[in-house]
Amino acid sequence: MTRRVMHPPAPADGRRAAAGSRNRRLAVIVAAVVAVPVLAYAVPAVVLAGETARGTRVAGIDIGGLSAADARARLERELGKRETRPVTLTAAGRTARLTPAKLGLGFDIPATVEAAMEGASTPAGIVRALFGGPRDLQPRVTVDDRVLAGELGKLAKAVDTRPRQGGVRYQGVEPQTVLPKPGRALDQEGAGRAVRDAFIGNRASIALTTRAVQPSVSAAEVRRVATTVARSAVAAPFTLTSGAKKVQLSPSQIAAGLRFVADGQGGLRPSFDARDVRADVEKQLVDAKQRPRDASFTIAKGRPQVIPARVGRGIDAKALGTAVSGALAAGQRSVDAPLTETQPRVTTAEAKKFGIKEKVSSFTTRHPCCAPRVTNIHRIADILDGYVVQPGETFSLNTIVGKRDKARGFVEAPMILNNRFVNDVGGGVSQFATTMFNAVFFGGFQDVQHMAHQYYITRYPAGRESTVSYPQPDFRWRNDSPYGVLVKTSYTATSITVDFWSTKRYDIESQSSPRYDIKPFPTLSETGPKCIPMPGAEGFTIDVWRIFKRDGKVLRKQKFHTVYAPEPRLTCKDPR
């Protein structure tokens, strides 16, 4: 008989109780595992809240572990020094020392601290806070672009050079090339970036770059114009017409005023300056009764009297220059001279207010009769007789008289050039300049430019004389009085006189030192058809004082220091 053993089933409540116990044990384990890192993060986060991480540096300044307020205070103190520390900007050999603040640069401290505090409460930030580790930050920078551009613009003015466009001018009637040359410009945009980077990097000097600025005209074009167009322009006279009247400009007159300049399109164009020929052209093309007339003066019974001015017809130098330039560009050799209504330089009303009432200075120099140089002295005296120098005007002999040439009655005569006497058209007019210089000296007017002769000439007062040539050296003086100055000239066969009429301001005296630093003259001999003998004279130095007095009281003194070279004794030998 088979026996089967049967086990009774487990109760349902017991099974549920066992499962619940296992789940509780698992939850406790999981909670413990999670709680460890949470507590590891939460506790430091609470403790370190509001502080920068250890090892945090801004531009080398340690702000690690500081509160936002303390970090800000430290950065303001340290970075603030850099805002007022000058930096040196260098470009093309030019330098400027400026503070960053002057350049419109500064530090944004609040934004810098905010950037340093970002991420401080993240796990990575907590790790840095707990265990350190470097963290280098760049400071936030503010830039006033307008101020920075303005300061760089000032530096650019000292650095930049315009390109030389090149052109053609003349020596006599021979074309001379002026070859183009690049210019230079500061790279202002790049300079702005360099300055900002240097400020952030705390560099004390900054080398700025420049770029080449190329001329618009090539050297090849300049050479082409010089060898073709420029030669053709002075190959023949140029005719100016006005009705039935004609006048010709000689090749030398054309060359004296003609230049070929950049046309802005890569080529050269003719540009004629008609100022030197205007007066002569006007006299030949316009009747004297039609030309404008300045108010002038006549001396009657020892007193100046006004001769009224007159509006007339004349030639405008600018319009004439434009007309001649256009004709030459078109290959033409004649043009109608432009006439226009022309106002006098000095009106009647102005002349009456000039205060020209008495002779304030006069000077005479003497010379041997009848030499060619006397013709030139008389010619320049005629040109300047009656000229009125207005209050504040600077008188320039070369500007008013212009180049001395045969067309206006000047002749060849000896002058000093390169240590020798040579013949030149207009030679001898320095005697007029010397005579006028002494009228300026004793009239108490301002000396602007005068140059003594290289060698002492016995007919002139030592240390009180002036040479002149064209275009340099010039003789210039300024009417620094509130009155007009009337220039009157007169001459004989052996003398030239310059009188100044105005309102007297000073009594002028002249005092001279003894001659000193005496140098003997050498003795030389030369051969050749152009050799001109020289008598020889010692060189020396002399000082002259101009003493300004009024009512017997000395107001001031002015010193003129003059050094004369020894003039060689030159004998001209017959080469045979």
Side-chain angles (χ1 to χ4, degrees):
M1 171 177 178
T2 302
R3 178 180 291 179
R4 188 173 54 187
V5 177
M6 304 292 292
H7 295 282
D13 290 341
R15 290 195 297 271
R16 286 195 293 270
S21 176
R22 286 195 300 271
N23 289 340
R24 284 193 296 275
R25 287 196 300 271
L26 179 60
V28 170
I29 293 171
V30 170
V33 171
V34 172
V36 170
V38 169
L39 290 173
Y41 166 75
V43 172
V46 171
V47 173
L48 300 175
E51 293 181 358
T52 58
R54 284 190 297 170
T56 300
R57 293 191 297 266
V58 174
I61 302 169
D62 186 7
I63 59 170
L66 298 181
S67 67
D70 289 342
R72 179 170 180 170
R74 178 172 291 181
L75 292 178
E76 286 177 344
R77 181 174 63 254
E78 297 300 325
L79 293 179
K81 299 175 183 177
R82 287 168 50 176
E83 291 181 352
T84 58
R85 186 182 303 139
V87 295
T88 301
L89 309 181
T90 304
R94 301 276 186 166
T95 60
R97 281 179 57 82
L98 298 167
T99 64
K102 181 71 173 177
L103 288 164
L105 301 173
F107 292 110
D108 188 341
I109 302 300
T112 301
V113 173
E114 183 178 347
M117 300 296 292
E118 286 180 359
S121 58
T122 65
I126 294 299
V127 170
R128 284 195 300 269
L130 291 173
F131 303 108
R135 185 190 182 204
D136 293 312
L137 302 176
Q138 293 288 0
R140 298 297 190 266
V141 172
T142 62
V143 182
D144 189 325
D145 291 324
R146 181 185 61 82
V147 173
L148 178 59
E151 291 301 324
L152 292 177
K154 293 177 183 178
L155 179 59
K157 288 182 178 179
V159 169
D160 293 358
T161 59
R162 291 183 179 181
R164 186 174 68 192
Q165 294 297 342
V168 179
R169 58 186 60 194
Y170 293 86
Q171 183 174 353
V173 294
E174 185 67 22
Q176 303 291 311
T177 59
V178 179
L179 295 179
K181 181 180 179 181
R184 181 179 62 214
L186 178 69
D187 178 7
Q188 295 192 49
E189 183 177 347
R193 292 192 298 268
V195 167
R196 287 189 288 267
D197 292 345
F199 178 54
I200 294 173
N202 195 27
R203 297 199 304 272
S205 61
I206 311 165
L208 306 179
T209 60
T210 60
R211 58 181 175 83
V213 182
Q214 297 300 327
S216 63
V217 182
S218 70
E221 174 65 6
V222 171
R223 294 189 181 99
R224 184 193 71 81
V225 170
T227 56
T228 56
V229 181
R231 290 189 182 279
S232 298
V234 297
F238 189 96
T239 303
L240 301 174
T241 62
S242 179
K245 294 187 175 183
K246 295 182 179 181
V247 61
Q248 284 192 330
L249 300 179
S250 68
S252 61
Q253 286 178 308
I254 300 169
L258 183 61
R259 301 289 183 269
F260 285 84
V261 299
D263 62 6
Q265 300 176 352
L268 295 176
R269 62 174 178 83
S271 176
F272 184 71
D273 186 343
R275 286 178 294 181
D276 284 348
V277 300
R278 184 205 64 80
D280 285 341
V281 168
E282 188 175 88
K283 288 178 181 178
Q284 296 181 64
L285 294 182
V286 184
D287 290 336
K289 293 181 180 179
Q290 292 182 310
R291 293 196 296 266
R293 184 179 67 197
D294 289 348
S296 58
F297 294 81
T298 184
I299 307 300
K301 298 180 179 180
R303 297 187 64 83
Q305 294 182 358
V306 174
I307 300 174
R310 179 182 66 207
V311 176
R313 297 280 291 171
I315 292 179
D316 180 271
K318 185 176 181 180
L320 177 60
T322 300
V324 173
S325 300
L328 291 173
Q332 301 170 358
R333 304 303 302 177
S334 65
V335 73
D336 289 334
L339 299 182
T340 183
E341 181 177 277
T342 306
Q343 298 294 324
R345 189 183 68 92
V346 180
T347 67
T348 304
E350 289 172 335
K352 290 180 177 179
K353 296 179 181 178
F354 278 159
I356 296 175
K357 63 182 184 181
E358 59 189 328
K359 187 184 294 187
V360 297
S361 63
S362 178
F363 202 78
T364 299
T365 59
R366 302 189 181 279
H367 53 73
C369 173
C370 311
R373 66 188 303 275
V374 177
T375 299
N376 296 328
I377 295 169
H378 292 178
R379 184 71 191 99
I380 198 170
D382 289 339
I383 292 172
L384 291 174
D385 184 42
Y387 189 88
V388 175
V389 185
Q390 300 187 38
E393 178 184 351
T394 296
F395 174 97
S396 164
L397 187 144
N398 280 342
T399 298
I400 296 168
V401 177
K403 184 177 176 62
R404 276 67 81 182
D405 53 38
K406 293 181 179 180
R408 292 190 296 159
F410 291 95
V411 300
E412 287 191 354
M415 63 173 288
I416 299 172
L417 179 66
N418 297 328
N419 306 325
R420 294 290 186 271
F421 286 142
V422 298
N423 283 316
D424 190 38
V425 175
V429 296
S430 290
Q431 177 142 3
F432 181 88
T434 289
T435 310
M436 179 176 271
F437 172 78
N438 278 273
V440 171
F441 185 98
F442 288 103
F445 300 103
Q446 181 183 351
D447 173 45
V448 176
Q449 178 188 357
H450 88 277
M451 179 184 291
H453 285 81
Q454 181 179 5
Y455 307 133
Y456 174 59
I457 300 172
T458 57
R459 58 177 168 265
Y460 304 148
R464 268 196 357 247
E465 46 90 8
S466 178
T467 187
V468 69
S469 188
Y470 189 90
Q472 288 294 336
D474 195 4
F475 168 54
R476 298 189 299 147
W477 59 276
R478 180 174 177 268
N479 177 11
D480 56 346
S481 78
Y483 314 105
V485 178
L486 169 65
V487 178
K488 293 297 293 180
T489 66
S490 59
Y491 49 78
T492 69
T494 58
S495 68
I496 173 70
T497 299
V498 175
D499 297 328
F500 280 0
W501 294 76
S502 185
T503 294
K504 190 175 181 66
R505 296 180 298 161
Y506 308 108
D507 295 312
I508 301 293
E509 293 181 3
S510 177
Q511 288 185 358
S512 300
S513 71
R515 300 178 185 185
Y516 60 97
D517 195 17
I518 308 298
K519 291 182 171 59
F521 60 83
T523 299
L524 306 173
S525 64
E526 291 182 2
T527 60
K530 295 185 178 180
C531 179
I532 300 177
M534 301 174 70
E538 291 181 333
F540 62 90
T541 301
I542 191 170
D543 298 317
V544 175
W545 287 267
R546 176 161 63 160
I547 304 171
F548 294 77
K549 301 176 73 173
R550 184 180 296 142
D551 299 327
K553 180 181 179 181
V554 175
L555 303 178
R556 59 189 174 94
K557 295 182 179 182
Q558 181 182 16
K559 181 180 178 181
F560 294 84
H561 178 75
T562 306
V563 178
Y564 292 106
E567 175 190 328
R569 175 175 290 169
L570 178 64
T571 302
C572 297
K573 291 186 176 181
D574 189 337
R576 290 175 297 178

